[in-house]
């Protein structure tokens, strides 16, 4: 049967099939990680990203191309996790922007949208690297354009595009030697091809169905959950009274925009909302407008939103009514499921106070590491890191909850930087600085270099400079046999990984840690910092620290409990 175009209802089915297929294959994609570490999460990140869009798509009863593109673009943008997820969201965003005004999808529309998707994704990456998902996307876009003059059936057309994508994927090891040495193809590119195969399955009448256990993808250990770091544990907040609440209703909603808003229109909306309230967050992309405002007239806020499109996710909380209950949860702060909502409401009350000049958000895994960031001035910690990258929306939510004019974000993981940058682009009412810390020690060093007496831009430069003066390392285990960087690694071997790659391999955690530190210490070194994880006992860590103090008698050795999963030790030398 010749298929020349696709209507909106079928676009919905095709998209969900692509998402289901990558969800079914996510563990295989995770295993393609170059380093054989237990934190390969490309498949998980891409699945969480596209499933965020699927949730929006499934809520549409009578979809149009316009409503579908809003749901796909907005859902994937907010749900994007990790570098692979952010790039996928940009591919989807570029594709959707090109088709949003169409009534049906033809070959010509697909070719143009493929080109726009690839262009958008390349622009989102500071230094695009070939041999990655970008290479695979570009190859398919080029094939889509090339085939326009010879094809007239969408199924055959996409089949040939998928073949071109698979060929590009197979060639990624030739473009990235590290892939070739590890004997794998690019994991992000593999994820993109699984999505494409899911699209084709639906077009052929056999859409991908979620396999058992694949319907719900939950990041390990609570990824993306916001954890409050109060300024003083156990301090009472009896000073907050209902009289301090000028505007009593915390009002939140999302507008599914009928058309993209320009800066002048957004400014007009902000001006109106500030005339009826405060604590305003008003951010928009091409498809959605997100509003958070404290007001005495929620209806007026909703009416303003209705001028620009349909409302969804509407929520109104009476902050005065539950004031006393909220206060009780501040004395003292203890993490529990039942008080999470009350803590969130308390944050809204506190944020009625005038904003401070500086605020900080950090990503971290482990109770000990969270405590360290608290001690050095971080306002909020997003629980996350390897295997549990927070989404763009998680980071935006954290920024919204920091009552400061200038907010510094510490991703503390190279796979979270793109999501942090995307979050910074969304937030408009605060000045956001993303410090590109790629490890916990770098984030700590950046915070310690902060000087409240200087201006934000100078602090930003100083914090970035602090990243350069520290060498970092991690100790973990191998999840498979491989050969990389000239080293033969067997499953369950212990690996010492520095900023330069895998520097030490062995069978004992202590021995590998010592070997890694040996490679990092030089004549300019003055401090070794060790953060031991949840699988290391205090006695084991203290014994290692004692050995290091004796061996490097001219260096200080600082031992702290980190409590992080997966990594026996996170360490630094400076």
């Amino acid at each position: 049967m010749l298929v020349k175009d696709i209507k909106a209802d079928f676009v919905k089915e095709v998209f969900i099939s692509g998402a289901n297929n990558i969800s079914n294959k996510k563990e295989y994609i995770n295993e393609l990680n170059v380093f054989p570490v237990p934190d390969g999460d490309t498949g998980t990140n891409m699945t969480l990203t596209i499933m965020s869009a699927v949730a929006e798509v499934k809520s549409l009863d009578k979809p149009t191309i316009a409503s579908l593109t809003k749901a796909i673009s907005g859902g994937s943008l907010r749900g994007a996790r990790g570098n692979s997820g952010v790039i996928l969201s940009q591919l989807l965003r570029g594709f959707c922007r090109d088709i949003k005004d169409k009534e049906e999808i033809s070959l010509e529309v697909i070719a143009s949208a493929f080109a726009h998707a690839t262009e958008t994704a390349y622009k989102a990456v500071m230094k695009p690297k070939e041999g990655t998902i970008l290479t695979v996307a570009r190859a398919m876009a080029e094939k889509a354009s090339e085939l326009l003059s010879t094809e007239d059936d969408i199924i055959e057309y996409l089949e040939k595009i998928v073949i071109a994508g698979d060929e590009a994927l197979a060639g990624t090891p030739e473009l990235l030697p590290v892939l070739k040495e590890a004997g794998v193809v690019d994991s992000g590119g593999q994820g993109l091809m699984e999505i494409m195969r899911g699209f084709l399955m639906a077009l052929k009448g056999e859409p991908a169905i979620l396999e058992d256990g694949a319907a719900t993808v939950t990041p390990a250990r609570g990824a993306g959950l916001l954890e409050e770091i109060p300024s003083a544990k156990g301090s009472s907040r009896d000073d907050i009274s209902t009289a301090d609440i000028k505007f009593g209703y915390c009002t939140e909603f999302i507008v599914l925009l009928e058309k993209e808003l320009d800066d002048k229109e957004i400014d007009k909306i902000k001006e109106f909302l500030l005339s009826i309230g405060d604590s305003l967050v008003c951010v928009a992309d091409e498809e959605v407008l997100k509003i958070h405002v404290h007001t005495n007239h929620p209806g007026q806020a909703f009416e303003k939103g209705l001028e620009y499109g349909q409302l969804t996710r509407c929520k109104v909380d009476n902050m005065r009514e539950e004031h006393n209950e909220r206060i009780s949860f501040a004395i003292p702060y203890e993490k529990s499921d039942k008080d999470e909502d009350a803590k969130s409401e308390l944050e809204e009350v506190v944020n009625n106070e005038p904003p401070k000049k500086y605020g900080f958000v950090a990503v971290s895994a482990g109770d000990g590491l969270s405590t360290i960031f608290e001690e050095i001035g971080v306002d909020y910690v997003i629980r996350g890191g390897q295997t549990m990258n927070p989404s763009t929306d998680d980071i935006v939510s954290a920024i919204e909850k920091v009552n400061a004019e200038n907010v510094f974000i510490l991703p503390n993981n190279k796979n979270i930087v793109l999501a942090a940058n995307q979050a910074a682009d969304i937030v408009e009412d605060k000045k956001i600085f993303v410090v590109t810390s790629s490890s916990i020690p770098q984030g700590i060093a950046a915070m310690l270099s902060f000087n409240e007496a200087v201006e934000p831009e100078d602090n930003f430069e100083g914090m970035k400079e602090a990243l350069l003066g520290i060498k970092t390392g991690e100790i973990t285990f191998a999840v498979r046999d491989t050969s990389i960087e000239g080293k033969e690694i067997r499953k369950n071997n212990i690996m010492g990984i520095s900023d330069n790659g895998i520097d030490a391999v062995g069978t004992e955690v202590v021995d590998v840690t010592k070997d890694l530190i040996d490679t990092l210490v030089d004549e300019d070194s003055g401090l070794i910092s060790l953060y031991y994880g949840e699988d290391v006992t205090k006695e084991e860590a203290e014994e290692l620290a004692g050995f290091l103090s004796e061996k490097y008698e001219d260096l200080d050795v600082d031992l702290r409990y980190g409590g992080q999963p997966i990594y026996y030790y996170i360490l630094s030398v400076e």
Side-chain angles (χ1 to χ4, degrees), residues 114 140 143 147 151 153-167 193 196-197 199-201 203-204:
F114 261 110
M140 288 193 288
K143 180 59 69 171
L147 291 173
E151 300 296 327
D153 180 80
I154 285 181
I155 294 178
E156 292 182 3
Y157 179 62
L158 285 180
E159 283 179 333
K160 292 179 179 180
I161 291 173
V162 167
I163 290 172
D166 282 335
E167 290 174 349
M193 295 316 302
M196 291 295 300
R197 268 184 272 282
F199 292 166
L200 262 179
M201 291 166 70
L203 285 168
K204 293 179 178 181

PDB file of all heavy atoms in Angstrom, residues 114 140 143 147 151 153-167 193 196-197 199-201 203-204:
ATOM      1  N   PHE A 114      13.912  16.911   8.796  1.00  0.00           N
ATOM      2  CA  PHE A 114      15.163  16.240   9.135  1.00  0.00           C
ATOM      3  C   PHE A 114      16.326  17.230   9.113  1.00  0.00           C
ATOM      4  O   PHE A 114      17.178  17.244  10.013  1.00  0.00           O
ATOM      5  CB  PHE A 114      15.450  15.104   8.155  1.00  0.00           C
ATOM      6  CG  PHE A 114      15.073  13.743   8.660  1.00  0.00           C
ATOM      7  CD1 PHE A 114      14.005  13.045   8.107  1.00  0.00           C
ATOM      8  CD2 PHE A 114      15.791  13.143   9.679  1.00  0.00           C
ATOM      9  CE1 PHE A 114      13.653  11.790   8.570  1.00  0.00           C
ATOM     10  CE2 PHE A 114      15.446  11.878  10.154  1.00  0.00           C
ATOM     11  CZ  PHE A 114      14.371  11.208   9.591  1.00  0.00           C
ATOM     12  N   MET A 140      21.191  10.795   8.096  1.00  0.00           N
ATOM     13  CA  MET A 140      19.797  10.552   7.724  1.00  0.00           C
ATOM     14  C   MET A 140      19.178  11.779   7.067  1.00  0.00           C
ATOM     15  O   MET A 140      18.391  11.652   6.120  1.00  0.00           O
ATOM     16  CB  MET A 140      18.999  10.130   8.964  1.00  0.00           C
ATOM     17  CG  MET A 140      19.338   8.725   9.445  1.00  0.00           C
ATOM     18  SD  MET A 140      18.161   8.060  10.651  1.00  0.00           S
ATOM     19  CE  MET A 140      18.569   9.061  12.083  1.00  0.00           C
ATOM     20  N   LYS A 143      20.432  11.860   3.482  1.00  0.00           N
ATOM     21  CA  LYS A 143      19.761  10.832   2.682  1.00  0.00           C
ATOM     22  C   LYS A 143      18.316  11.218   2.404  1.00  0.00           C
ATOM     23  O   LYS A 143      17.793  10.977   1.292  1.00  0.00           O
ATOM     24  CB  LYS A 143      19.831   9.489   3.400  1.00  0.00           C
ATOM     25  CG  LYS A 143      19.176   8.333   2.665  1.00  0.00           C
ATOM     26  CD  LYS A 143      19.787   8.097   1.286  1.00  0.00           C
ATOM     27  CE  LYS A 143      21.193   7.560   1.359  1.00  0.00           C
ATOM     28  NZ  LYS A 143      21.703   7.143   0.029  1.00  0.00           N
ATOM     29  N   LEU A 147      16.905  11.458  -1.495  1.00  0.00           N
ATOM     30  CA  LEU A 147      15.905  10.522  -2.000  1.00  0.00           C
ATOM     31  C   LEU A 147      14.630  11.185  -2.499  1.00  0.00           C
ATOM     32  O   LEU A 147      13.769  10.512  -3.083  1.00  0.00           O
ATOM     33  CB  LEU A 147      15.537   9.527  -0.892  1.00  0.00           C
ATOM     34  CG  LEU A 147      16.613   8.527  -0.474  1.00  0.00           C
ATOM     35  CD1 LEU A 147      16.147   7.747   0.742  1.00  0.00           C
ATOM     36  CD2 LEU A 147      16.951   7.585  -1.618  1.00  0.00           C
ATOM     37  N   GLU A 151      11.810   8.806  -4.649  1.00  0.00           N
ATOM     38  CA  GLU A 151      10.851   8.052  -3.837  1.00  0.00           C
ATOM     39  C   GLU A 151       9.490   8.739  -3.805  1.00  0.00           C
ATOM     40  O   GLU A 151       9.394   9.965  -3.887  1.00  0.00           O
ATOM     41  CB  GLU A 151      11.370   7.890  -2.411  1.00  0.00           C
ATOM     42  CG  GLU A 151      12.686   7.146  -2.301  1.00  0.00           C
ATOM     43  CD  GLU A 151      12.583   5.703  -2.759  1.00  0.00           C
ATOM     44  OE1 GLU A 151      11.503   5.089  -2.568  1.00  0.00           O
ATOM     45  OE2 GLU A 151      13.562   5.203  -3.320  1.00  0.00           O
ATOM     46  N   ASP A 153       6.917   6.798  -1.747  1.00  0.00           N
ATOM     47  CA  ASP A 153       6.250   6.067  -0.671  1.00  0.00           C
ATOM     48  C   ASP A 153       6.996   6.318   0.640  1.00  0.00           C
ATOM     49  O   ASP A 153       8.211   6.102   0.730  1.00  0.00           O
ATOM     50  CB  ASP A 153       6.226   4.574  -0.976  1.00  0.00           C
ATOM     51  CG  ASP A 153       5.544   3.787   0.134  1.00  0.00           C
ATOM     52  OD1 ASP A 153       4.306   3.768   0.164  1.00  0.00           O
ATOM     53  OD2 ASP A 153       6.263   3.212   0.973  1.00  0.00           O
ATOM     54  N   ILE A 154       6.286   6.791   1.649  1.00  0.00           N
ATOM     55  CA  ILE A 154       6.929   7.178   2.903  1.00  0.00           C
ATOM     56  C   ILE A 154       7.603   5.988   3.575  1.00  0.00           C
ATOM     57  O   ILE A 154       8.699   6.121   4.137  1.00  0.00           O
ATOM     58  CB  ILE A 154       5.902   7.834   3.854  1.00  0.00           C
ATOM     59  CG1 ILE A 154       5.585   9.256   3.370  1.00  0.00           C
ATOM     60  CG2 ILE A 154       6.430   7.876   5.288  1.00  0.00           C
ATOM     61  CD1 ILE A 154       4.607  10.008   4.237  1.00  0.00           C
ATOM     62  N   ILE A 155       6.979   4.809   3.518  1.00  0.00           N
ATOM     63  CA  ILE A 155       7.582   3.653   4.185  1.00  0.00           C
ATOM     64  C   ILE A 155       8.916   3.290   3.535  1.00  0.00           C
ATOM     65  O   ILE A 155       9.937   3.117   4.227  1.00  0.00           O
ATOM     66  CB  ILE A 155       6.617   2.454   4.164  1.00  0.00           C
ATOM     67  CG1 ILE A 155       5.381   2.760   5.022  1.00  0.00           C
ATOM     68  CG2 ILE A 155       7.323   1.189   4.669  1.00  0.00           C
ATOM     69  CD1 ILE A 155       4.344   1.652   5.036  1.00  0.00           C
ATOM     70  N   GLU A 156       8.926   3.180   2.213  1.00  0.00           N
ATOM     71  CA  GLU A 156      10.177   2.856   1.520  1.00  0.00           C
ATOM     72  C   GLU A 156      11.208   3.972   1.723  1.00  0.00           C
ATOM     73  O   GLU A 156      12.410   3.708   1.842  1.00  0.00           O
ATOM     74  CB  GLU A 156       9.906   2.638   0.034  1.00  0.00           C
ATOM     75  CG  GLU A 156       9.076   1.390  -0.250  1.00  0.00           C
ATOM     76  CD  GLU A 156       8.866   1.165  -1.745  1.00  0.00           C
ATOM     77  OE1 GLU A 156       9.429   1.951  -2.549  1.00  0.00           O
ATOM     78  OE2 GLU A 156       8.147   0.216  -2.107  1.00  0.00           O
ATOM     79  N   TYR A 157      10.716   5.183   1.727  1.00  0.00           N
ATOM     80  CA  TYR A 157      11.579   6.358   1.935  1.00  0.00           C
ATOM     81  C   TYR A 157      12.281   6.265   3.290  1.00  0.00           C
ATOM     82  O   TYR A 157      13.504   6.390   3.394  1.00  0.00           O
ATOM     83  CB  TYR A 157      10.689   7.595   1.847  1.00  0.00           C
ATOM     84  CG  TYR A 157      11.356   8.944   2.049  1.00  0.00           C
ATOM     85  CD1 TYR A 157      12.350   9.390   1.185  1.00  0.00           C
ATOM     86  CD2 TYR A 157      10.934   9.781   3.081  1.00  0.00           C
ATOM     87  CE1 TYR A 157      12.918  10.649   1.349  1.00  0.00           C
ATOM     88  CE2 TYR A 157      11.491  11.042   3.245  1.00  0.00           C
ATOM     89  CZ  TYR A 157      12.483  11.464   2.378  1.00  0.00           C
ATOM     90  OH  TYR A 157      13.042  12.705   2.541  1.00  0.00           O
ATOM     91  N   LEU A 158      11.505   6.002   4.349  1.00  0.00           N
ATOM     92  CA  LEU A 158      12.089   5.922   5.690  1.00  0.00           C
ATOM     93  C   LEU A 158      12.958   4.681   5.861  1.00  0.00           C
ATOM     94  O   LEU A 158      13.938   4.703   6.607  1.00  0.00           O
ATOM     95  CB  LEU A 158      10.989   5.955   6.744  1.00  0.00           C
ATOM     96  CG  LEU A 158      10.348   7.329   6.998  1.00  0.00           C
ATOM     97  CD1 LEU A 158       9.264   7.222   8.060  1.00  0.00           C
ATOM     98  CD2 LEU A 158      11.383   8.358   7.412  1.00  0.00           C
ATOM     99  N   GLU A 159      12.604   3.596   5.181  1.00  0.00           N
ATOM    100  CA  GLU A 159      13.451   2.405   5.235  1.00  0.00           C
ATOM    101  C   GLU A 159      14.860   2.715   4.740  1.00  0.00           C
ATOM    102  O   GLU A 159      15.862   2.291   5.347  1.00  0.00           O
ATOM    103  CB  GLU A 159      12.840   1.279   4.406  1.00  0.00           C
ATOM    104  CG  GLU A 159      11.679   0.580   5.078  1.00  0.00           C
ATOM    105  CD  GLU A 159      11.070  -0.513   4.220  1.00  0.00           C
ATOM    106  OE1 GLU A 159      11.170  -0.401   2.967  1.00  0.00           O
ATOM    107  OE2 GLU A 159      10.501  -1.464   4.777  1.00  0.00           O
ATOM    108  N   LYS A 160      14.955   3.448   3.651  1.00  0.00           N
ATOM    109  CA  LYS A 160      16.263   3.791   3.087  1.00  0.00           C
ATOM    110  C   LYS A 160      16.990   4.814   3.969  1.00  0.00           C
ATOM    111  O   LYS A 160      18.220   4.775   4.079  1.00  0.00           O
ATOM    112  CB  LYS A 160      16.098   4.314   1.663  1.00  0.00           C
ATOM    113  CG  LYS A 160      15.625   3.246   0.700  1.00  0.00           C
ATOM    114  CD  LYS A 160      15.441   3.759  -0.714  1.00  0.00           C
ATOM    115  CE  LYS A 160      14.987   2.628  -1.639  1.00  0.00           C
ATOM    116  NZ  LYS A 160      14.790   3.093  -3.030  1.00  0.00           N
ATOM    117  N   ILE A 161      16.238   5.697   4.593  1.00  0.00           N
ATOM    118  CA  ILE A 161      16.852   6.647   5.532  1.00  0.00           C
ATOM    119  C   ILE A 161      17.422   5.899   6.735  1.00  0.00           C
ATOM    120  O   ILE A 161      18.527   6.205   7.208  1.00  0.00           O
ATOM    121  CB  ILE A 161      15.807   7.697   5.980  1.00  0.00           C
ATOM    122  CG1 ILE A 161      15.456   8.624   4.812  1.00  0.00           C
ATOM    123  CG2 ILE A 161      16.341   8.511   7.166  1.00  0.00           C
ATOM    124  CD1 ILE A 161      14.314   9.575   5.110  1.00  0.00           C
ATOM    125  N   VAL A 162      16.696   4.909   7.227  1.00  0.00           N
ATOM    126  CA  VAL A 162      17.170   4.109   8.364  1.00  0.00           C
ATOM    127  C   VAL A 162      18.429   3.339   7.971  1.00  0.00           C
ATOM    128  O   VAL A 162      19.375   3.229   8.771  1.00  0.00           O
ATOM    129  CB  VAL A 162      16.067   3.154   8.863  1.00  0.00           C
ATOM    130  CG1 VAL A 162      16.637   2.108   9.806  1.00  0.00           C
ATOM    131  CG2 VAL A 162      14.966   3.946   9.563  1.00  0.00           C
ATOM    132  N   ILE A 163      18.478   2.814   6.763  1.00  0.00           N
ATOM    133  CA  ILE A 163      19.683   2.126   6.299  1.00  0.00           C
ATOM    134  C   ILE A 163      20.871   3.076   6.315  1.00  0.00           C
ATOM    135  O   ILE A 163      21.976   2.723   6.765  1.00  0.00           O
ATOM    136  CB  ILE A 163      19.472   1.551   4.878  1.00  0.00           C
ATOM    137  CG1 ILE A 163      18.483   0.375   4.932  1.00  0.00           C
ATOM    138  CG2 ILE A 163      20.803   1.099   4.272  1.00  0.00           C
ATOM    139  CD1 ILE A 163      18.059  -0.133   3.567  1.00  0.00           C
ATOM    140  N   ALA A 164      20.648   4.307   5.860  1.00  0.00           N
ATOM    141  CA  ALA A 164      21.721   5.308   5.870  1.00  0.00           C
ATOM    142  C   ALA A 164      22.159   5.623   7.293  1.00  0.00           C
ATOM    143  O   ALA A 164      23.353   5.786   7.578  1.00  0.00           O
ATOM    144  CB  ALA A 164      21.257   6.586   5.169  1.00  0.00           C
ATOM    145  N   GLY A 165      21.189   5.693   8.213  1.00  0.00           N
ATOM    146  CA  GLY A 165      21.522   5.935   9.612  1.00  0.00           C
ATOM    147  C   GLY A 165      22.320   4.794  10.213  1.00  0.00           C
ATOM    148  O   GLY A 165      23.284   5.010  10.959  1.00  0.00           O
ATOM    149  N   ASP A 166      21.919   3.560   9.892  1.00  0.00           N
ATOM    150  CA  ASP A 166      22.653   2.390  10.396  1.00  0.00           C
ATOM    151  C   ASP A 166      24.082   2.354   9.859  1.00  0.00           C
ATOM    152  O   ASP A 166      25.019   1.980  10.581  1.00  0.00           O
ATOM    153  CB  ASP A 166      21.921   1.106  10.017  1.00  0.00           C
ATOM    154  CG  ASP A 166      20.722   0.821  10.916  1.00  0.00           C
ATOM    155  OD1 ASP A 166      20.721   1.311  12.068  1.00  0.00           O
ATOM    156  OD2 ASP A 166      19.797   0.118  10.475  1.00  0.00           O
ATOM    157  N   GLU A 167      24.246   2.730   8.603  1.00  0.00           N
ATOM    158  CA  GLU A 167      25.588   2.759   8.022  1.00  0.00           C
ATOM    159  C   GLU A 167      26.452   3.809   8.716  1.00  0.00           C
ATOM    160  O   GLU A 167      27.636   3.573   9.005  1.00  0.00           O
ATOM    161  CB  GLU A 167      25.504   3.048   6.525  1.00  0.00           C
ATOM    162  CG  GLU A 167      24.911   1.886   5.719  1.00  0.00           C
ATOM    163  CD  GLU A 167      24.696   2.243   4.253  1.00  0.00           C
ATOM    164  OE1 GLU A 167      24.803   3.451   3.917  1.00  0.00           O
ATOM    165  OE2 GLU A 167      24.415   1.327   3.451  1.00  0.00           O
ATOM    166  N   MET A 193      18.606   5.385  16.381  1.00  0.00           N
ATOM    167  CA  MET A 193      18.173   4.395  15.401  1.00  0.00           C
ATOM    168  C   MET A 193      17.057   3.507  15.945  1.00  0.00           C
ATOM    169  O   MET A 193      16.182   3.075  15.183  1.00  0.00           O
ATOM    170  CB  MET A 193      19.365   3.545  14.946  1.00  0.00           C
ATOM    171  CG  MET A 193      20.429   4.323  14.178  1.00  0.00           C
ATOM    172  SD  MET A 193      19.760   5.467  12.938  1.00  0.00           S
ATOM    173  CE  MET A 193      18.825   4.340  11.892  1.00  0.00           C
ATOM    174  N   MET A 196      13.961   5.456  15.416  1.00  0.00           N
ATOM    175  CA  MET A 196      13.587   5.414  14.003  1.00  0.00           C
ATOM    176  C   MET A 196      12.956   4.070  13.644  1.00  0.00           C
ATOM    177  O   MET A 196      11.971   4.008  12.896  1.00  0.00           O
ATOM    178  CB  MET A 196      14.813   5.665  13.134  1.00  0.00           C
ATOM    179  CG  MET A 196      15.355   7.079  13.197  1.00  0.00           C
ATOM    180  SD  MET A 196      14.185   8.302  12.540  1.00  0.00           S
ATOM    181  CE  MET A 196      13.998   7.728  10.846  1.00  0.00           C
ATOM    182  N   ARG A 197      13.525   2.961  14.169  1.00  0.00           N
ATOM    183  CA  ARG A 197      12.960   1.649  13.879  1.00  0.00           C
ATOM    184  C   ARG A 197      11.547   1.524  14.459  1.00  0.00           C
ATOM    185  O   ARG A 197      10.665   0.892  13.856  1.00  0.00           O
ATOM    186  CB  ARG A 197      13.865   0.546  14.421  1.00  0.00           C
ATOM    187  CG  ARG A 197      14.883   0.066  13.391  1.00  0.00           C
ATOM    188  CD  ARG A 197      15.703  -1.089  13.925  1.00  0.00           C
ATOM    189  NE  ARG A 197      16.868  -0.610  14.645  1.00  0.00           N
ATOM    190  CZ  ARG A 197      17.974  -0.171  14.058  1.00  0.00           C
ATOM    191  NH1 ARG A 197      18.056  -0.122  12.747  1.00  0.00           N
ATOM    192  NH2 ARG A 197      18.995   0.243  14.769  1.00  0.00           N
ATOM    193  N   PHE A 199       9.458   4.013  14.748  1.00  0.00           N
ATOM    194  CA  PHE A 199       8.603   4.760  13.815  1.00  0.00           C
ATOM    195  C   PHE A 199       8.187   3.854  12.651  1.00  0.00           C
ATOM    196  O   PHE A 199       7.014   3.795  12.263  1.00  0.00           O
ATOM    197  CB  PHE A 199       9.342   5.973  13.254  1.00  0.00           C
ATOM    198  CG  PHE A 199       9.627   7.058  14.255  1.00  0.00           C
ATOM    199  CD1 PHE A 199      10.539   8.068  13.956  1.00  0.00           C
ATOM    200  CD2 PHE A 199       9.000   7.099  15.492  1.00  0.00           C
ATOM    201  CE1 PHE A 199      10.816   9.076  14.858  1.00  0.00           C
ATOM    202  CE2 PHE A 199       9.267   8.108  16.411  1.00  0.00           C
ATOM    203  CZ  PHE A 199      10.178   9.100  16.085  1.00  0.00           C
ATOM    204  N   LEU A 200       9.159   3.172  12.068  1.00  0.00           N
ATOM    205  CA  LEU A 200       8.891   2.304  10.915  1.00  0.00           C
ATOM    206  C   LEU A 200       7.943   1.161  11.270  1.00  0.00           C
ATOM    207  O   LEU A 200       7.069   0.794  10.476  1.00  0.00           O
ATOM    208  CB  LEU A 200      10.204   1.728  10.386  1.00  0.00           C
ATOM    209  CG  LEU A 200      10.843   2.430   9.188  1.00  0.00           C
ATOM    210  CD1 LEU A 200      12.152   1.764   8.806  1.00  0.00           C
ATOM    211  CD2 LEU A 200       9.886   2.453   8.000  1.00  0.00           C
ATOM    212  N   MET A 201       8.115   0.614  12.462  1.00  0.00           N
ATOM    213  CA  MET A 201       7.246  -0.486  12.878  1.00  0.00           C
ATOM    214  C   MET A 201       5.782  -0.049  12.854  1.00  0.00           C
ATOM    215  O   MET A 201       4.895  -0.798  12.407  1.00  0.00           O
ATOM    216  CB  MET A 201       7.653  -0.968  14.273  1.00  0.00           C
ATOM    217  CG  MET A 201       9.006  -1.663  14.309  1.00  0.00           C
ATOM    218  SD  MET A 201       9.662  -1.866  15.992  1.00  0.00           S
ATOM    219  CE  MET A 201       8.521  -3.106  16.635  1.00  0.00           C
ATOM    220  N   LEU A 203       4.489   2.447  11.083  1.00  0.00           N
ATOM    221  CA  LEU A 203       4.090   2.717   9.700  1.00  0.00           C
ATOM    222  C   LEU A 203       3.735   1.431   8.966  1.00  0.00           C
ATOM    223  O   LEU A 203       2.878   1.409   8.084  1.00  0.00           O
ATOM    224  CB  LEU A 203       5.218   3.441   8.958  1.00  0.00           C
ATOM    225  CG  LEU A 203       5.411   4.920   9.314  1.00  0.00           C
ATOM    226  CD1 LEU A 203       6.722   5.441   8.752  1.00  0.00           C
ATOM    227  CD2 LEU A 203       4.239   5.747   8.795  1.00  0.00           C
ATOM    228  N   LYS A 204       4.387   0.333   9.358  1.00  0.00           N
ATOM    229  CA  LYS A 204       4.117  -0.958   8.721  1.00  0.00           C
ATOM    230  C   LYS A 204       2.970  -1.711   9.387  1.00  0.00           C
ATOM    231  O   LYS A 204       2.675  -2.851   9.029  1.00  0.00           O
ATOM    232  CB  LYS A 204       5.382  -1.813   8.756  1.00  0.00           C
ATOM    233  CG  LYS A 204       6.508  -1.261   7.875  1.00  0.00           C
ATOM    234  CD  LYS A 204       7.748  -2.141   7.978  1.00  0.00           C
ATOM    235  CE  LYS A 204       8.853  -1.637   7.062  1.00  0.00           C
ATOM    236  NZ  LYS A 204      10.067  -2.485   7.133  1.00  0.00           N
TER     237      LYS A 204
END
